[in-house]
Amino acid sequence: MNILFAALALFLLYILQAAVYRKYWSRNLDIRLFYSKETCVEGEQANLVEVLTNNKRLPLPNLTVKFQTSRKLDFLQNENSAVTDLYYRSDIFSFKGRERITRTLPFCCKSRSYYTIDQLTVSCSDILFSQKYHETRKIFTQLYVYPKYVDIRKLLIPFNQLYGMILANRHFYEDPFEFRSIREYQPFDPMRAVNWKAFARTGELMVNTYEDTASQEVCIYLNLENNGYENHYDIMEENIRLAATLSDMLIAKGIPVSLKTNGCDLITKQPLSIPAGTGTSHQTIILQNLSRISLELPVEHLNGLLEQD
């Protein structure tokens, strides 16, 4: 009789704990997955951080979190993972009630790109490991890996030539409605430029100067056609790095920069076109767009972009 009651008690315990875990295992279970940085540069290291909080008294003896991300991120700890077309990770946790666990996964950014994680799968066993429960959760975390800048010494001569041309052409035309300042008269100045009120006041010939009518800007055309090269990926990546470096040098001089390329955005699948702008924020926009270029997408001839202009 005692054995029968014991068996019945165990059966009731099994039914009860299964019912409790089925209803409550995911309640107040918070899972956060995020990159430690929003931006990196090729070759830098960062971390993928998992923060799990079991904010209830019910223990979770066997909780598994699965997610996938790009294989271009070189994780330094490869246990519980598999690499095929993507990087697949499966981490196992054991929680007591009211417990938080943080796990940091370091990785190296091997190549320029835009990386996201948009969902994860979480599963849990009951305390007797007799049943397993699953749930898919939507999340969103992103990482821009910018192209690294090339050795600036490679660009100094062509850059200085280009910058000199811009400075030489900047003051060809003046806007008579945009007054700048007064300076001393020079022999090459026309008499109509003389400020006669200033002459009457000082007795010296002075001329008005005005702001420029035309703003100087540079448009960078980035051609990412294959052209039959075997190592075209390396060549195209170097072209992207050159565009990033040149735009940074021009913007640092206060020159508005626009960029057009036949390379396609991995999100929109369309060629990228960035209007002219200056400042640090504009360079950030350029770097983000260069990061999102996918060399796997079809590329049209650059002539098409030139004809549009």
Side-chain angles (χ1 to χ4, degrees):
M1 185 66 68
N2 291 335
I3 295 178
L4 183 60
F5 278 117
L8 180 61
L10 288 175
F11 177 73
L12 292 176
L13 177 61
Y14 167 78
I15 296 297
L16 178 61
Q17 65 89 31
V20 169
Y21 273 90
R22 186 182 303 110
K23 184 174 182 179
Y24 295 106
W25 75 272
S26 64
R27 182 171 298 183
N28 294 330
L29 175 63
D30 180 62
I31 301 176
R32 296 177 58 215
L33 187 65
F34 58 91
Y35 294 108
S36 59
K37 301 179 180 179
E38 293 185 357
T39 63
C40 283
V41 178
E42 289 177 284
E44 287 187 352
Q45 288 193 4
N47 299 312
L48 183 62
V49 183
E50 296 176 279
V51 180
L52 295 87
T53 304
N54 181 29
N55 196 21
K56 58 180 178 294
R57 294 181 180 179
L58 184 69
L60 303 175
N62 185 19
L63 184 77
T64 303
V65 176
K66 298 181 179 180
F67 63 89
Q68 64 187 39
T69 186
S70 173
R71 61 181 297 173
K72 294 180 181 179
L73 299 179
D74 186 13
F75 284 86
L76 306 183
Q77 301 171 2
N78 286 320
E79 67 275 7
N80 305 322
S81 65
V83 180
T84 55
D85 56 330
L86 295 170
Y87 176 86
Y88 298 90
R89 180 130 192 142
S90 178
D91 288 324
I92 301 175
F93 302 87
S94 180
F95 282 93
K96 298 178 290 186
R98 307 289 185 183
E99 184 179 15
R100 171 178 292 179
I101 296 177
T102 300
R103 184 169 294 177
T104 301
L105 307 174
F107 62 87
C108 179
C109 304
K110 292 194 300 183
S111 61
R112 163 208 64 83
S113 194
Y114 172 66
Y115 303 100
T116 61
I117 302 176
D118 55 13
Q119 72 174 26
L120 58 83
T121 301
V122 57
S123 59
C124 180
S125 299
D126 58 32
I127 201 168
L128 298 178
F129 294 89
S130 59
Q131 299 289 330
K132 200 160 190 177
Y133 312 100
H134 305 272
E135 184 177 276
T136 298
R137 297 190 177 188
K138 295 291 184 182
I139 61 170
F140 182 75
T141 183
Q142 65 179 6
L143 172 67
Y144 282 97
V145 178
Y146 295 159
K148 63 183 178 182
Y149 291 160
V150 301
D151 187 348
I152 194 172
R153 291 173 294 183
K154 298 180 181 179
L155 292 179
L156 280 180
I157 294 178
F159 173 77
N160 288 335
Q161 291 176 342
L162 175 63
Y163 184 56
M165 292 174 59
I166 293 173
L167 291 180
N169 294 328
R170 177 168 282 181
H171 302 295
F172 277 175
Y173 302 101
E174 293 182 329
D175 187 343
F177 300 103
E178 294 291 336
F179 178 79
R180 181 193 298 167
S181 63
I182 299 176
R183 62 170 174 80
E184 292 183 0
Y185 176 83
Q186 301 293 329
F188 54 80
D189 289 322
M191 291 303 295
R192 66 175 180 274
V194 173
N195 188 318
W196 296 108
K197 291 183 178 180
F199 172 73
R201 188 169 58 253
T202 63
E204 297 181 0
L205 288 176
M206 307 291 289
V207 296
N208 297 330
T209 61
Y210 301 91
E211 298 292 346
D212 310 325
T213 59
S215 62
Q216 301 290 329
E217 67 180 52
V218 173
C219 181
I220 299 174
Y221 285 90
L222 176 59
N223 186 12
L224 297 177
E225 294 178 64
N226 182 352
N227 293 324
Y229 295 111
E230 292 184 1
N231 60 338
H232 71 280
Y233 285 114
D234 294 338
I235 295 173
M236 297 304 103
E237 289 293 346
E238 190 67 11
N239 288 342
I240 293 173
R241 297 183 190 113
L242 286 169
T245 307
L246 183 59
S247 66
D248 182 71
M249 295 171 68
L250 291 167
I251 288 175
K253 294 290 187 179
I255 302 171
V257 175
S258 60
L259 186 143
K260 295 186 178 182
T261 176
N262 49 5
C264 292
D265 189 311
L266 58 83
I267 297 176
T268 65
K269 316 300 183 187
Q270 298 297 318
L272 287 169
S273 179
I274 306 171
T278 58
T280 303
S281 60
H282 186 66
Q283 179 64 9
T284 298
I285 292 173
I286 291 176
L287 291 174
Q288 288 179 345
N289 279 269
L290 291 176
S291 297
R292 293 204 308 266
I293 292 176
S294 173
L295 299 180
E296 305 294 335
L297 296 173
V299 175
E300 65 180 49
H301 292 297
L302 187 65
N303 292 340
L305 294 179
L306 296 175
E307 290 173 357
Q308 292 176 10
D309 295 339

